[in-house]
Amino acid sequence: MTNKEQNVSTVFLGILTLIALGTVLVLMKSVLLPLVLAVFLSYIFKPIVLYLRSKRVPNVIALLVVFLFISGLFFGLGSIIYSSVATFVREVPKYQDRLAVLLTNSSAWLQHTAGQLGFDVTGMSPADVIDVGSVGAFVTSSAGSFLTLLSDFFVVILLMFFILAGSGTLAGKVEQALAERHSQAVAAMIRTIDVKVRQYLIAKTLISLATGALTTVTLLILGVDFALLWGFLTFLLNFIPNIGSIVAVFFPLLFSLLQFDTLATPLLVLVILVVMQNLMGNVIEPKLMAFSLDLSPLLVLIALLLWGWLWGIWGMILSVPIMSTIKIVCENIDGLKPIAVLMSGGKTR
């Protein structure tokens, strides 16, 4: 077989491997997604376990303290969010009726304005384009899926507990298990993933918490319904690069338009949230993250679409840490270093 034929075979084999891998990721979503969530959550809480160990707290006690803290935090917050979402689902028909009225008024205004300008907009009514019933059904089904996820979150916490039990020992075990010429490289790769991904997740979590809290307080002051729900949604969406902040502003803006009879409050919601998102994302976040994952912006966009298609919103949230982990692995394997270069966002030399 010639080199050209070998290259063609390698390309087709790679394509088939990617298709097979994508199929496995979709089919095993119910198993893999909680595990991946648990792994990345363990990066956030791992420093607490290591700190308690450094103070000579027995490992079992340290894990028990962290487990109780995490369980109380998640279940306390989960109960509040669960109640908010349940109330939101019950209130959807009311907002659905308000949306229908808003669309009807918009249609009348559009036809009146177009008529004065001499345009014929018959058949271009917003009420004909947007199916109000489908909007309500979509919101209700999405909220139902979210409630189901909250109820299954105990599995994620349990998996995270077992992962935390082995915190700080994987690199050492690798050094003992593999031959010396390989062990140091693999252990260094594991430590690099541990440091970079943990730094990213902790910094991103702090920024997201601050953004979500400020959003909640702002909406409470302005009297927007379900302020806590929108704040929590902002916290989650802030993990999604590029489009997350846009969607986080869109939902409270839309519901403020449906809630209030005037445009004053919705305009305040829009201005304050946009300014806050830009301040947190473009000023504070770069200063807090004194490092870079060095991922290509195009790769981030592709990863966002790919993992969103595979695992939904959680795939979009996890897309950047997953791709960063893959890049670090490629950087430490000679045959895969060209892939790491392509994934990099830095300038080539």
Side-chain angles (χ1 to χ4, degrees), residues 127-275:
D128 296 331
V129 176
I130 302 175
D131 184 0
V132 177
S134 64
V135 172
F138 171 76
V139 171
T140 304
S141 63
S142 299
S145 300
F146 181 73
L147 292 177
T148 302
L149 182 64
L150 281 179
S151 64
D152 293 339
F153 216 68
F154 177 77
V155 177
V156 176
I157 295 177
L158 192 61
L159 288 170
M160 182 178 62
F161 174 74
F162 285 106
I163 293 170
L164 288 174
S167 296
T169 62
L170 181 58
K173 290 179 180 179
V174 168
E175 289 180 336
Q176 294 178 3
L178 299 180
E180 186 175 353
R181 65 181 183 275
H182 298 304
S183 62
Q184 293 182 355
V186 176
M189 177 183 69
I190 292 172
R191 292 190 180 100
T192 302
I193 293 173
D194 188 68
V195 171
K196 285 194 173 183
V197 174
R198 182 171 69 247
Q199 286 178 339
Y200 169 80
L201 287 173
I202 290 177
K204 195 68 175 176
T205 300
L206 290 175
I207 290 293
S208 300
L209 277 172
T211 307
L214 288 173
T215 298
T216 301
V217 171
T218 299
L219 296 178
L220 282 173
I221 293 173
L222 294 176
V224 179
D225 290 344
F226 310 109
L228 183 60
L229 179 60
W230 305 134
F232 181 72
L233 191 63
T234 299
F235 164 73
L236 289 180
L237 290 172
N238 201 59
F239 285 91
I240 300 177
N242 304 323
I243 66 172
S245 57
I246 299 174
V247 178
V249 173
F250 171 76
F251 280 111
L253 173 62
L254 174 62
F255 276 81
S256 65
L257 284 170
L258 297 177
Q259 179 182 346
F260 297 100
D261 296 328
T262 64
L263 291 177
T265 301
L267 284 175
L268 275 175
V269 170
L270 177 62
V271 172
I272 294 175
L273 293 188
V274 168
V275 170

Side-chain angles (χ1 to χ4, degrees), residues 113-136:
T113 304
Q116 290 183 332
L117 296 174
F119 294 104
D120 184 12
V121 293
T122 306
M124 296 178 60
S125 170
D128 296 331
V129 176
I130 302 175
D131 184 0
V132 177
S134 64
V135 172

